[in-house]
Amino acid sequence: MRVRLKVTGVVVGLALASSGVAQGKVDACQGAAGSPSWVAPGVFRGTLGGQPIALRLGPGDDAKGARYFYERWGVDLGLVPTRQGERLLLREEVWTLAGTKVTGCLRLERAGAGLRGSWTSPDGRRTLPVALAPLDVTRLPLNLPDSPGLRRLRGSDPLTFLKLNRAWVEEAGGARIREPLSGVRYPRVPGGSAALNVALQDRQLEHAANALDCRAGLEGVGEDAYALAVRVTIQRSRLVSLFENAGYYCGGAHPDNFDVGLILDRATGRPVLIPAIWPGLTPARLSALYLARSGADAECREVLTGRDLALTAHLTPQGLALTPTSLPHVVTACAETVTLPLASLRAQADPRGPYFRDLYLR
């Protein structure tokens, strides 16, 4: 299983390795390869044993596209499809540190436009009824402020949209919002433009989806499997900047983490690229300035200079803060943040640019 988070030009992948499938009575849920002829991609909503669930079928024999979740918890359960004649079998699997474990079997048949059948426990001792109706997710109303990220999610990942398209919780007088299923918290800017706070909501959407995927990736992990810390590092009349740090463990050899700096236009919520403030600060120039100011020891300096150095940037009252993002896990301790003082960059700033006054004429 793979969890992916797109972060300002960087895609962080979380990979899990399997060491086998725990069989139990899995043979009872093992039919012929493929799916019945009537199976088509789609989303269904209904109940399993009286509990609300949502289920998605992928195209044809696509095992990766088949999954479901209990709406109370919002954690996906993977489904491997096979068939017995015109009956669809879906083997429910979860990942563990020892490999894949079978946790149930869905046996479904077409019932008009919907699905009917049963769920059976791996030992065969418990059977619960399943009733599902087709759901056109594109027709569902938006229960959060309308945003590009929310609309994209509704089209590209309808199950995750169903989980996250619900009321979120204000905290700290509206300065922070908590997404209830994942527990992910993210700042807002009270008094900021609607466009800015929508952009912050879209960042939180990505992190919340990633946190729920991480939880689905390994049995037994909770909210601490994906921990996000975000702080607003500067607020000016035209600019807002934030710094994100995420740490996660979704299986694999070791935990990992990543940092993302954001510089946003306060009116539009759109990213502000560094050359819009300092036209001469190319990636190569930023790398050189970072290395010149870095207090790294000899070992870390060798690591930092021996590769194309990717940096993420955010603003603080002291200056432009740069943090390496391209280092292997074993040397992430070398990824220290270096701040270039605003005064040292003034000669390279565009005095006619929209952000010059924010930083230099206060």
Side-chain angles (χ1 to χ4, degrees):
M1 180 173 182
R2 180 170 289 269
V3 181
R4 300 174 70 84
L5 174 67
K6 191 173 289 185
V7 285
T8 318
V10 179
V11 174
V12 178
L14 316 180
L16 298 175
S18 167
S19 62
V21 176
Q23 293 297 321
K25 292 198 174 183
V26 66
D27 291 345
C29 200
Q30 181 67 55
S35 301
S37 59
W38 55 264
V39 172
V43 177
F44 298 83
R45 205 173 199 174
T47 59
L48 189 163
Q51 296 292 317
I53 66 167
L55 179 145
R56 185 182 189 186
L57 296 178
D61 302 336
D62 180 12
K64 295 179 182 177
R67 53 196 172 99
Y68 83 103
F69 68 91
Y70 289 86
E71 297 206 27
R72 181 180 178 185
W73 306 112
V75 176
D76 282 349
L77 295 164
L79 298 170
V80 179
T82 57
R83 59 187 171 86
Q84 286 179 343
E86 287 303 295
R87 175 183 291 172
L88 174 64
L89 303 184
L90 295 169
R91 189 171 68 249
E92 177 187 304
E93 296 182 351
V94 299
W95 289 81
T96 75
L97 291 176
T100 308
K101 181 172 75 174
V102 176
T103 53
C105 180
L106 288 158
R107 294 175 172 84
L108 301 175
E109 296 178 347
R110 185 166 50 176
L115 303 171
R116 292 289 187 275
S118 63
W119 174 94
T120 304
S121 61
D123 59 12
R125 294 179 181 178
R126 264 199 317 152
T127 298
L128 301 172
V130 177
L132 299 166
L135 178 66
D136 185 354
V137 177
T138 65
R139 294 182 176 272
L140 293 178
L142 301 180
N143 295 321
L144 295 169
D146 195 350
S147 72
L150 192 60
R151 289 185 174 273
R152 281 194 303 271
L153 191 65
R154 184 165 62 176
S156 64
D157 191 348
L159 285 197
T160 301
F161 172 82
L162 288 175
K163 299 171 193 175
L164 301 178
N165 181 45
R166 60 184 74 195
W168 293 3
V169 182
E170 282 194 5
E171 297 180 341
R176 184 175 65 239
I177 302 292
R178 177 173 59 85
E179 192 289 307
L181 282 179
S182 67
V184 166
R185 291 172 166 84
Y186 207 91
R188 296 294 187 271
V189 178
S193 68
L196 172 63
N197 282 316
V198 156
L200 300 179
Q201 174 182 284
D202 280 352
R203 290 297 305 168
Q204 187 170 4
L205 271 173
E206 293 187 9
H207 285 290
N210 200 57
L212 292 175
D213 280 347
C214 187
R215 238 178 266 177
L218 186 64
E219 183 186 43
V221 298
E223 287 189 12
D224 57 350
Y226 186 93
L228 175 69
V230 190
R231 68 181 189 275
V232 177
T233 57
I234 199 171
Q235 289 192 58
R236 297 285 169 85
S237 61
R238 297 293 304 271
L239 289 167
V240 173
S241 191
L242 302 93
F243 187 67
E244 304 175 348
N245 174 261
Y248 56 86
Y249 180 70
C250 314
H254 47 70
D256 215 332
N257 68 281
F258 62 88
D259 299 316
V260 177
L262 300 171
I263 304 173
L264 304 176
D265 185 289
R266 190 182 177 108
T268 67
R270 294 174 183 164
V272 175
L273 301 180
I274 290 175
I277 307 172
W278 298 283
L281 291 188
T282 63
R285 179 62 179 155
L286 284 173
S287 294
L289 289 172
Y290 176 90
L291 292 170
R293 288 190 170 269
S294 171
D297 59 24
E299 185 177 357
C300 280
R301 182 163 290 276
E302 182 179 356
V303 169
L304 293 166
T305 57
R307 61 185 66 249
D308 292 331
L309 187 60
L311 299 165
T312 190
H314 66 282
L315 291 169
T316 74
Q318 291 72 42
L320 178 64
L322 304 173
T323 307
T325 61
S326 56
L327 303 186
H329 173 78
V330 294
V331 290
T332 51
C334 295
E336 295 289 339
T337 297
V338 167
T339 299
L340 309 178
L342 288 174
S344 71
L345 300 175
R346 180 164 183 155
Q348 300 181 67
D350 179 2
R352 296 167 297 179
Y355 307 111
F356 184 84
R357 180 177 295 274
D358 248 15
L359 298 177
Y360 291 110
L361 299 178
R362 290 178 57 80

